[in-house]
């Protein structure tokens, strides 16, 4: 999400851009589980900060942005009734961006848009009423479209990113289990280690014995 808002990566753009794979993570996780309220600020921030990119971008990124708008609209409207008061202003600002995108696509249809005219109307209705109009099948479809679409600022897709995470230094279950067993065994045998420091009880007993000897010597 670069500040330029053009949707085309330039030199050094990846350094100042945290990456859309981070911004859309709540949407991907919510596709197979419930959307969590703690993810709302991040989603709202992604929409607000990327307003210029969402509304004006290269055609090659249209499938990503349009499916992102559909999913963001869905998840925001599903929690409208329980949004904390201190987040209402951010919700209103994000909804303004989403409505503007939908109206622009209704007025000037784009063949690359992942959202049909019918669904654009449903998105606008949902934003105006605070009630999602998408069903489970449509959510899964838009999620799949977003994952396969070309990400802004990079040639990768979200599917590529997920595949790389799965291949990155996997830990075999048998090694993890062996490590746990060794830690447990070390804890059991540590009491027999002659190099172990004195326990608090032993130290206290030594101090008491030393005091008694001192008193005995002074008494003499």
């Amino acid at each position: 999400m670069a500040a330029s808002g053009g949707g085309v990566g330039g030199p050094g753009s990846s350094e100042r851009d945290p990456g859309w794979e981070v911004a859309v993570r709540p949407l991907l996780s919510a596709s197979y589980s419930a959307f969590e309220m703690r993810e709302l600020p991040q989603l709202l921030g992604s929409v607000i900060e990327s307003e210029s990119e969402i509304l004006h971008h290269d055609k090659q990124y249209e499938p990503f942005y349009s499916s992102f708008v559909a999913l963001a609209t869905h998840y925001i409207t599903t929690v409208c009734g329980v949004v904390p008061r201190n987040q209402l202003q951010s919700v209103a600002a994000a909804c303004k961006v989403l409505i503007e995108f939908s109206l622009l696509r209704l007025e000037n249809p784009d063949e690359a848009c992942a959202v049909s005219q019918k669904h654009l109307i449903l998105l606008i209705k949902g934003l105006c009423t605070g009630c999602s109009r998408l069903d489970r099948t449509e959510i899964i479809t838009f999620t799949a479209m977003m994952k396969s679409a070309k990400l802004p600022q990079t040639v990768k897709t979200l599917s590529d990113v997920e595949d790389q995470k799965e291949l990155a230094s996997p830990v075999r279950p048998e090694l993890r289990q062996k490590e746990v067993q060794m830690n447990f065994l070390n804890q059991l045998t540590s009491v027999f280690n002659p190099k172990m420091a004195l326990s608090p009880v032993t130290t206290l007993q030594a101090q008491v014995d030393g005091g008694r000897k001192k008193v005995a010597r002074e008494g003499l």
Side-chain angles (χ1 to χ4, degrees), residues 187-203:
Q187 291 179 3
L188 289 177
T189 57
S190 63
V191 296
F192 303 107
N193 190 346
K195 297 181 180 180
M196 288 285 291
L198 292 176
S199 67
V201 174
T202 305
T203 303

Side-chain angles (χ1 to χ4, degrees), residues 85-127:
R85 181 170 298 181
N86 61 351
Q87 294 182 15
L88 290 179
Q89 187 173 355
S90 297
V91 171
C95 289
K96 175 182 176 294
V97 177
L98 299 174
I99 289 178
E100 186 172 353
F101 175 90
S102 301
L103 290 174
L104 286 173
R105 291 300 174 272
L106 280 177
E107 184 179 0
N108 300 299
D110 189 332
E111 60 181 11
C113 182
V115 187
S116 66
Q117 297 286 292
K118 170 190 172 182
H119 285 100
L120 286 171
I121 295 175
L122 292 177
L123 294 180
I124 294 174
K125 286 183 177 179
L127 290 167

Side-chain angles (χ1 to χ4, degrees), residues 85-208:
R85 181 170 298 181
N86 61 351
Q87 294 182 15
L88 290 179
Q89 187 173 355
S90 297
V91 171
C95 289
K96 175 182 176 294
V97 177
L98 299 174
I99 289 178
E100 186 172 353
F101 175 90
S102 301
L103 290 174
L104 286 173
R105 291 300 174 272
L106 280 177
E107 184 179 0
N108 300 299
D110 189 332
E111 60 181 11
C113 182
V115 187
S116 66
Q117 297 286 292
K118 170 190 172 182
H119 285 100
L120 286 171
I121 295 175
L122 292 177
L123 294 180
I124 294 174
K125 286 183 177 179
L127 290 167
C128 293
T129 61
C131 180
S132 176
R133 304 283 177 163
L134 300 182
D135 58 33
R136 180 66 178 168
T137 302
E138 292 164 336
I139 296 169
I140 294 175
T141 300
F142 286 127
T143 302
M145 289 181 177
M146 185 173 66
K147 289 178 66 174
S148 62
K150 184 177 179 180
L151 288 173
Q153 311 298 334
T154 178
V155 296
K156 294 181 180 180
T157 65
L158 291 171
S159 297
D160 296 332
V161 174
E162 289 185 341
D163 291 341
Q164 288 181 354
K165 289 179 180 178
E166 293 177 359
L167 295 175
S169 342
V171 179
R172 289 184 296 173
E174 59 269 23
L175 294 179
R176 188 181 299 276
Q177 182 178 5
K178 184 177 180 180
E179 181 181 355
V180 173
Q181 292 174 343
M182 289 299 297
N183 289 338
F184 180 65
L185 180 61
N186 290 336
Q187 291 179 3
L188 289 177
T189 57
S190 63
V191 296
F192 303 107
N193 190 346
K195 297 181 180 180
M196 288 285 291
L198 292 176
S199 67
V201 174
T202 305
T203 303
L204 178 61
Q205 183 62 45
Q207 293 176 347
V208 172

